Amino acid sequence: MLSACGDGQNNAVNRTSTTNPQASNSNVAKSNVEELGMLVHVPYEVEDIVWKQDPTDRNIVAVFRFSEQDAAKLVAEAEKAGPGHTVSIPVETWYPDELIAQGEMSGDSSLKGTALPANMFFQEPYSTGRIIRVEGVDYFILEISAK
C-alpha cells in the first residue's frame, strides 16, 4: 500500500523515501529536494536526488542528477571558485542504481570524477566541501560539512 504513495520518479528515489520525514536517522537516505534546500543552496532544478545527513558529524552527502545544460552551467560556475582535480570515491549502497552499476564496472566499486569547490551550495552552517562530477554522466556528488 505504501508504495502507491511514491512520487512517480525512478526507483532510486522511491526506494529511499521515508515514512517519517521528521526523523533524523542518518542511516536512511532521503529524496526530498525541498528539505535539502533548507540546509544547503541547490542552484539548479534537479532531475534526481538522494541524500543523507549525519547530524553528529555535521555533514551531508547528496547525489544529484541535473539536465545536461544545468550540469554544464554548474561546472562552469564551480570552476570560477577554483580548478577541478580528478578523484576516485567509493560507491555507497544508497546511490542511484546507475552509479552503483558504474562502480561495479570499474572493478573496484568506485566512481571516478572531477572534484570542484562547492561554494555555490554553501549555506550556514555548511560552509566547506566539494562537488564531484561523476565521469560520463550528469550526476554530481556533493560532500559538504559544517566547520
PDB file of all heavy atoms in Angstrom, residues 39-64:
ATOM      1  N   LEU A  39      18.864  23.206   4.036  1.00  0.00           N
ATOM      2  CA  LEU A  39      20.184  23.013   4.636  1.00  0.00           C
ATOM      3  C   LEU A  39      21.314  23.546   3.767  1.00  0.00           C
ATOM      4  O   LEU A  39      22.309  24.064   4.282  1.00  0.00           O
ATOM      5  CB  LEU A  39      20.416  21.516   4.901  1.00  0.00           C
ATOM      6  CG  LEU A  39      19.385  20.849   5.821  1.00  0.00           C
ATOM      7  CD1 LEU A  39      19.569  19.344   5.818  1.00  0.00           C
ATOM      8  CD2 LEU A  39      19.489  21.412   7.227  1.00  0.00           C
ATOM      9  N   VAL A  40      21.187  23.362   2.456  1.00  0.00           N
ATOM     10  CA  VAL A  40      22.207  23.831   1.510  1.00  0.00           C
ATOM     11  C   VAL A  40      21.504  24.490   0.328  1.00  0.00           C
ATOM     12  O   VAL A  40      20.337  24.216   0.043  1.00  0.00           O
ATOM     13  CB  VAL A  40      23.120  22.688   0.993  1.00  0.00           C
ATOM     14  CG1 VAL A  40      23.837  21.996   2.137  1.00  0.00           C
ATOM     15  CG2 VAL A  40      22.356  21.688   0.168  1.00  0.00           C
ATOM     16  N   HIS A  41      22.211  25.358  -0.359  1.00  0.00           N
ATOM     17  CA  HIS A  41      21.655  26.008  -1.555  1.00  0.00           C
ATOM     18  C   HIS A  41      21.707  25.014  -2.714  1.00  0.00           C
ATOM     19  O   HIS A  41      22.764  24.461  -3.005  1.00  0.00           O
ATOM     20  CB  HIS A  41      22.465  27.257  -1.881  1.00  0.00           C
ATOM     21  CG  HIS A  41      22.008  27.944  -3.121  1.00  0.00           C
ATOM     22  ND1 HIS A  41      20.804  28.591  -3.210  1.00  0.00           N
ATOM     23  CD2 HIS A  41      22.581  28.057  -4.336  1.00  0.00           C
ATOM     24  CE1 HIS A  41      20.659  29.083  -4.418  1.00  0.00           C
ATOM     25  NE2 HIS A  41      21.726  28.768  -5.128  1.00  0.00           N
ATOM     26  N   VAL A  42      20.587  24.788  -3.367  1.00  0.00           N
ATOM     27  CA  VAL A  42      20.528  23.924  -4.555  1.00  0.00           C
ATOM     28  C   VAL A  42      20.334  24.856  -5.752  1.00  0.00           C
ATOM     29  O   VAL A  42      19.251  25.389  -5.947  1.00  0.00           O
ATOM     30  CB  VAL A  42      19.389  22.887  -4.451  1.00  0.00           C
ATOM     31  CG1 VAL A  42      19.367  21.989  -5.686  1.00  0.00           C
ATOM     32  CG2 VAL A  42      19.536  22.049  -3.180  1.00  0.00           C
ATOM     33  N   PRO A  43      21.399  25.093  -6.545  1.00  0.00           N
ATOM     34  CA  PRO A  43      21.378  26.159  -7.550  1.00  0.00           C
ATOM     35  C   PRO A  43      20.555  25.893  -8.804  1.00  0.00           C
ATOM     36  O   PRO A  43      20.186  26.832  -9.500  1.00  0.00           O
ATOM     37  CB  PRO A  43      22.850  26.331  -7.910  1.00  0.00           C
ATOM     38  CG  PRO A  43      23.462  24.999  -7.635  1.00  0.00           C
ATOM     39  CD  PRO A  43      22.696  24.438  -6.469  1.00  0.00           C
ATOM     40  N   TYR A  44      20.264  24.648  -9.108  1.00  0.00           N
ATOM     41  CA  TYR A  44      19.525  24.319 -10.330  1.00  0.00           C
ATOM     42  C   TYR A  44      18.466  23.270 -10.014  1.00  0.00           C
ATOM     43  O   TYR A  44      18.563  22.557  -9.019  1.00  0.00           O
ATOM     44  CB  TYR A  44      20.472  23.783 -11.425  1.00  0.00           C
ATOM     45  CG  TYR A  44      21.559  24.757 -11.782  1.00  0.00           C
ATOM     46  CD1 TYR A  44      22.858  24.579 -11.322  1.00  0.00           C
ATOM     47  CD2 TYR A  44      21.286  25.868 -12.574  1.00  0.00           C
ATOM     48  CE1 TYR A  44      23.856  25.482 -11.637  1.00  0.00           C
ATOM     49  CE2 TYR A  44      22.281  26.779 -12.892  1.00  0.00           C
ATOM     50  CZ  TYR A  44      23.561  26.587 -12.421  1.00  0.00           C
ATOM     51  OH  TYR A  44      24.545  27.492 -12.722  1.00  0.00           O
ATOM     52  N   GLU A  45      17.486  23.147 -10.906  1.00  0.00           N
ATOM     53  CA  GLU A  45      16.453  22.136 -10.746  1.00  0.00           C
ATOM     54  C   GLU A  45      17.068  20.755 -10.929  1.00  0.00           C
ATOM     55  O   GLU A  45      17.809  20.518 -11.873  1.00  0.00           O
ATOM     56  CB  GLU A  45      15.348  22.350 -11.779  1.00  0.00           C
ATOM     57  CG  GLU A  45      14.169  21.436 -11.577  1.00  0.00           C
ATOM     58  CD  GLU A  45      13.024  21.737 -12.526  1.00  0.00           C
ATOM     59  OE1 GLU A  45      12.882  22.895 -12.946  1.00  0.00           O
ATOM     60  OE2 GLU A  45      12.296  20.788 -12.837  1.00  0.00           O
ATOM     61  N   VAL A  46      16.746  19.851 -10.011  1.00  0.00           N
ATOM     62  CA  VAL A  46      17.303  18.504 -10.079  1.00  0.00           C
ATOM     63  C   VAL A  46      16.342  17.561 -10.781  1.00  0.00           C
ATOM     64  O   VAL A  46      15.129  17.713 -10.688  1.00  0.00           O
ATOM     65  CB  VAL A  46      17.662  17.946  -8.679  1.00  0.00           C
ATOM     66  CG1 VAL A  46      18.708  18.794  -8.011  1.00  0.00           C
ATOM     67  CG2 VAL A  46      16.447  17.814  -7.802  1.00  0.00           C
ATOM     68  N   GLU A  47      16.899  16.602 -11.506  1.00  0.00           N
ATOM     69  CA  GLU A  47      16.106  15.558 -12.150  1.00  0.00           C
ATOM     70  C   GLU A  47      16.005  14.327 -11.263  1.00  0.00           C
ATOM     71  O   GLU A  47      15.071  13.548 -11.387  1.00  0.00           O
ATOM     72  CB  GLU A  47      16.714  15.201 -13.508  1.00  0.00           C
ATOM     73  CG  GLU A  47      16.631  16.345 -14.503  1.00  0.00           C
ATOM     74  CD  GLU A  47      17.139  15.968 -15.876  1.00  0.00           C
ATOM     75  OE1 GLU A  47      17.682  14.856 -16.059  1.00  0.00           O
ATOM     76  OE2 GLU A  47      17.002  16.806 -16.782  1.00  0.00           O
ATOM     77  N   ASP A  48      16.987  14.147 -10.388  1.00  0.00           N
ATOM     78  CA  ASP A  48      17.020  13.017  -9.469  1.00  0.00           C
ATOM     79  C   ASP A  48      17.859  13.449  -8.279  1.00  0.00           C
ATOM     80  O   ASP A  48      18.839  14.182  -8.440  1.00  0.00           O
ATOM     81  CB  ASP A  48      17.636  11.799 -10.159  1.00  0.00           C
ATOM     82  CG  ASP A  48      17.492  10.511  -9.358  1.00  0.00           C
ATOM     83  OD1 ASP A  48      16.742  10.490  -8.360  1.00  0.00           O
ATOM     84  OD2 ASP A  48      18.133   9.506  -9.735  1.00  0.00           O
ATOM     85  N   ILE A  49      17.468  13.022  -7.100  1.00  0.00           N
ATOM     86  CA  ILE A  49      18.238  13.371  -5.904  1.00  0.00           C
ATOM     87  C   ILE A  49      18.061  12.297  -4.845  1.00  0.00           C
ATOM     88  O   ILE A  49      16.987  11.708  -4.707  1.00  0.00           O
ATOM     89  CB  ILE A  49      17.816  14.743  -5.324  1.00  0.00           C
ATOM     90  CG1 ILE A  49      18.712  15.109  -4.144  1.00  0.00           C
ATOM     91  CG2 ILE A  49      16.363  14.741  -4.942  1.00  0.00           C
ATOM     92  CD1 ILE A  49      18.540  16.534  -3.664  1.00  0.00           C
ATOM     93  N   VAL A  50      19.126  12.037  -4.135  1.00  0.00           N
ATOM     94  CA  VAL A  50      19.106  11.189  -2.947  1.00  0.00           C
ATOM     95  C   VAL A  50      20.220  11.734  -2.052  1.00  0.00           C
ATOM     96  O   VAL A  50      21.278  12.111  -2.538  1.00  0.00           O
ATOM     97  CB  VAL A  50      19.261   9.686  -3.290  1.00  0.00           C
ATOM     98  CG1 VAL A  50      20.566   9.388  -3.955  1.00  0.00           C
ATOM     99  CG2 VAL A  50      19.061   8.822  -2.076  1.00  0.00           C
ATOM    100  N   TRP A  51      19.954  11.814  -0.745  1.00  0.00           N
ATOM    101  CA  TRP A  51      20.947  12.418   0.141  1.00  0.00           C
ATOM    102  C   TRP A  51      20.822  11.886   1.562  1.00  0.00           C
ATOM    103  O   TRP A  51      19.811  11.332   1.946  1.00  0.00           O
ATOM    104  CB  TRP A  51      20.837  13.933   0.115  1.00  0.00           C
ATOM    105  CG  TRP A  51      19.504  14.493   0.567  1.00  0.00           C
ATOM    106  CD1 TRP A  51      18.356  14.557  -0.178  1.00  0.00           C
ATOM    107  CD2 TRP A  51      19.187  15.054   1.839  1.00  0.00           C
ATOM    108  NE1 TRP A  51      17.351  15.130   0.566  1.00  0.00           N
ATOM    109  CE2 TRP A  51      17.829  15.452   1.795  1.00  0.00           C
ATOM    110  CE3 TRP A  51      19.919  15.270   2.999  1.00  0.00           C
ATOM    111  CZ2 TRP A  51      17.193  16.051   2.886  1.00  0.00           C
ATOM    112  CZ3 TRP A  51      19.291  15.866   4.080  1.00  0.00           C
ATOM    113  CH2 TRP A  51      17.938  16.251   4.007  1.00  0.00           C
ATOM    114  N   LYS A  52      21.913  12.072   2.289  1.00  0.00           N
ATOM    115  CA  LYS A  52      21.974  11.675   3.698  1.00  0.00           C
ATOM    116  C   LYS A  52      22.623  12.797   4.492  1.00  0.00           C
ATOM    117  O   LYS A  52      23.555  13.443   4.025  1.00  0.00           O
ATOM    118  CB  LYS A  52      22.824  10.415   3.886  1.00  0.00           C
ATOM    119  CG  LYS A  52      22.119   9.131   3.554  1.00  0.00           C
ATOM    120  CD  LYS A  52      22.962   7.951   4.020  1.00  0.00           C
ATOM    121  CE  LYS A  52      22.212   6.663   3.876  1.00  0.00           C
ATOM    122  NZ  LYS A  52      22.930   5.540   4.472  1.00  0.00           N
ATOM    123  N   GLN A  53      22.108  12.970   5.693  1.00  0.00           N
ATOM    124  CA  GLN A  53      22.675  13.942   6.624  1.00  0.00           C
ATOM    125  C   GLN A  53      23.151  13.198   7.857  1.00  0.00           C
ATOM    126  O   GLN A  53      22.439  12.329   8.366  1.00  0.00           O
ATOM    127  CB  GLN A  53      21.622  14.978   7.010  1.00  0.00           C
ATOM    128  CG  GLN A  53      22.117  15.991   8.021  1.00  0.00           C
ATOM    129  CD  GLN A  53      21.023  16.955   8.453  1.00  0.00           C
ATOM    130  OE1 GLN A  53      19.837  16.682   8.333  1.00  0.00           O
ATOM    131  NE2 GLN A  53      21.431  18.093   8.959  1.00  0.00           N
ATOM    132  N   ASP A  54      24.335  13.545   8.324  1.00  0.00           N
ATOM    133  CA  ASP A  54      24.844  12.992   9.572  1.00  0.00           C
ATOM    134  C   ASP A  54      24.951  14.149  10.565  1.00  0.00           C
ATOM    135  O   ASP A  54      25.924  14.898  10.544  1.00  0.00           O
ATOM    136  CB  ASP A  54      26.206  12.336   9.360  1.00  0.00           C
ATOM    137  CG  ASP A  54      26.717  11.654  10.619  1.00  0.00           C
ATOM    138  OD1 ASP A  54      26.230  11.984  11.729  1.00  0.00           O
ATOM    139  OD2 ASP A  54      27.599  10.792  10.506  1.00  0.00           O
ATOM    140  N   PRO A  55      23.920  14.336  11.407  1.00  0.00           N
ATOM    141  CA  PRO A  55      23.930  15.460  12.331  1.00  0.00           C
ATOM    142  C   PRO A  55      25.063  15.385  13.352  1.00  0.00           C
ATOM    143  O   PRO A  55      25.532  16.409  13.832  1.00  0.00           O
ATOM    144  CB  PRO A  55      22.570  15.403  13.021  1.00  0.00           C
ATOM    145  CG  PRO A  55      21.816  14.276  12.428  1.00  0.00           C
ATOM    146  CD  PRO A  55      22.716  13.529  11.498  1.00  0.00           C
ATOM    147  N   THR A  56      25.512  14.176  13.676  1.00  0.00           N
ATOM    148  CA  THR A  56      26.605  14.027  14.640  1.00  0.00           C
ATOM    149  C   THR A  56      27.899  14.602  14.085  1.00  0.00           C
ATOM    150  O   THR A  56      28.580  15.379  14.750  1.00  0.00           O
ATOM    151  CB  THR A  56      26.797  12.537  15.000  1.00  0.00           C
ATOM    152  OG1 THR A  56      25.554  12.014  15.446  1.00  0.00           O
ATOM    153  CG2 THR A  56      27.853  12.374  16.063  1.00  0.00           C
ATOM    154  N   ASP A  57      28.239  14.223  12.862  1.00  0.00           N
ATOM    155  CA  ASP A  57      29.461  14.729  12.229  1.00  0.00           C
ATOM    156  C   ASP A  57      29.226  16.043  11.500  1.00  0.00           C
ATOM    157  O   ASP A  57      30.157  16.626  10.971  1.00  0.00           O
ATOM    158  CB  ASP A  57      30.010  13.699  11.232  1.00  0.00           C
ATOM    159  CG  ASP A  57      30.562  12.475  11.925  1.00  0.00           C
ATOM    160  OD1 ASP A  57      30.879  12.568  13.127  1.00  0.00           O
ATOM    161  OD2 ASP A  57      30.659  11.420  11.269  1.00  0.00           O
ATOM    162  N   ARG A  58      27.963  16.482  11.439  1.00  0.00           N
ATOM    163  CA  ARG A  58      27.574  17.725  10.778  1.00  0.00           C
ATOM    164  C   ARG A  58      28.007  17.746   9.317  1.00  0.00           C
ATOM    165  O   ARG A  58      28.666  18.670   8.856  1.00  0.00           O
ATOM    166  CB  ARG A  58      28.125  18.923  11.543  1.00  0.00           C
ATOM    167  CG  ARG A  58      27.535  19.016  12.940  1.00  0.00           C
ATOM    168  CD  ARG A  58      28.083  20.135  13.736  1.00  0.00           C
ATOM    169  NE  ARG A  58      28.203  21.343  12.936  1.00  0.00           N
ATOM    170  CZ  ARG A  58      28.252  22.556  13.402  1.00  0.00           C
ATOM    171  NH1 ARG A  58      28.182  22.756  14.682  1.00  0.00           N
ATOM    172  NH2 ARG A  58      28.383  23.604  12.615  1.00  0.00           N
ATOM    173  N   ASN A  59      27.639  16.685   8.582  1.00  0.00           N
ATOM    174  CA  ASN A  59      27.928  16.667   7.151  1.00  0.00           C
ATOM    175  C   ASN A  59      26.740  16.114   6.371  1.00  0.00           C
ATOM    176  O   ASN A  59      25.861  15.469   6.926  1.00  0.00           O
ATOM    177  CB  ASN A  59      29.216  15.902   6.847  1.00  0.00           C
ATOM    178  CG  ASN A  59      29.123  14.433   7.165  1.00  0.00           C
ATOM    179  OD1 ASN A  59      28.114  13.792   6.911  1.00  0.00           O
ATOM    180  ND2 ASN A  59      30.169  13.870   7.721  1.00  0.00           N
ATOM    181  N   ILE A  60      26.768  16.413   5.080  1.00  0.00           N
ATOM    182  CA  ILE A  60      25.729  15.972   4.161  1.00  0.00           C
ATOM    183  C   ILE A  60      26.408  15.417   2.927  1.00  0.00           C
ATOM    184  O   ILE A  60      27.385  15.997   2.433  1.00  0.00           O
ATOM    185  CB  ILE A  60      24.807  17.137   3.753  1.00  0.00           C
ATOM    186  CG1 ILE A  60      24.030  17.659   4.969  1.00  0.00           C
ATOM    187  CG2 ILE A  60      23.853  16.730   2.632  1.00  0.00           C
ATOM    188  CD1 ILE A  60      23.243  18.926   4.701  1.00  0.00           C
ATOM    189  N   VAL A  61      25.895  14.302   2.437  1.00  0.00           N
ATOM    190  CA  VAL A  61      26.309  13.768   1.147  1.00  0.00           C
ATOM    191  C   VAL A  61      25.039  13.685   0.309  1.00  0.00           C
ATOM    192  O   VAL A  61      24.043  13.098   0.744  1.00  0.00           O
ATOM    193  CB  VAL A  61      26.974  12.381   1.264  1.00  0.00           C
ATOM    194  CG1 VAL A  61      27.293  11.822  -0.117  1.00  0.00           C
ATOM    195  CG2 VAL A  61      28.236  12.459   2.112  1.00  0.00           C
ATOM    196  N   ALA A  62      25.069  14.319  -0.862  1.00  0.00           N
ATOM    197  CA  ALA A  62      23.901  14.311  -1.743  1.00  0.00           C
ATOM    198  C   ALA A  62      24.333  13.917  -3.146  1.00  0.00           C
ATOM    199  O   ALA A  62      25.415  14.296  -3.603  1.00  0.00           O
ATOM    200  CB  ALA A  62      23.257  15.698  -1.771  1.00  0.00           C
ATOM    201  N   VAL A  63      23.485  13.144  -3.805  1.00  0.00           N
ATOM    202  CA  VAL A  63      23.724  12.752  -5.190  1.00  0.00           C
ATOM    203  C   VAL A  63      22.631  13.407  -6.026  1.00  0.00           C
ATOM    204  O   VAL A  63      21.447  13.177  -5.787  1.00  0.00           O
ATOM    205  CB  VAL A  63      23.692  11.222  -5.370  1.00  0.00           C
ATOM    206  CG1 VAL A  63      23.933  10.854  -6.826  1.00  0.00           C
ATOM    207  CG2 VAL A  63      24.716  10.548  -4.461  1.00  0.00           C
ATOM    208  N   PHE A  64      23.054  14.259  -6.965  1.00  0.00           N
ATOM    209  CA  PHE A  64      22.127  14.975  -7.839  1.00  0.00           C
ATOM    210  C   PHE A  64      22.311  14.516  -9.276  1.00  0.00           C
ATOM    211  O   PHE A  64      23.426  14.241  -9.693  1.00  0.00           O
ATOM    212  CB  PHE A  64      22.453  16.480  -7.881  1.00  0.00           C
ATOM    213  CG  PHE A  64      22.434  17.187  -6.576  1.00  0.00           C
ATOM    214  CD1 PHE A  64      23.599  17.410  -5.865  1.00  0.00           C
ATOM    215  CD2 PHE A  64      21.248  17.710  -6.082  1.00  0.00           C
ATOM    216  CE1 PHE A  64      23.586  18.119  -4.675  1.00  0.00           C
ATOM    217  CE2 PHE A  64      21.226  18.424  -4.895  1.00  0.00           C
ATOM    218  CZ  PHE A  64      22.395  18.626  -4.189  1.00  0.00           C
TER     219      PHE A  64
END
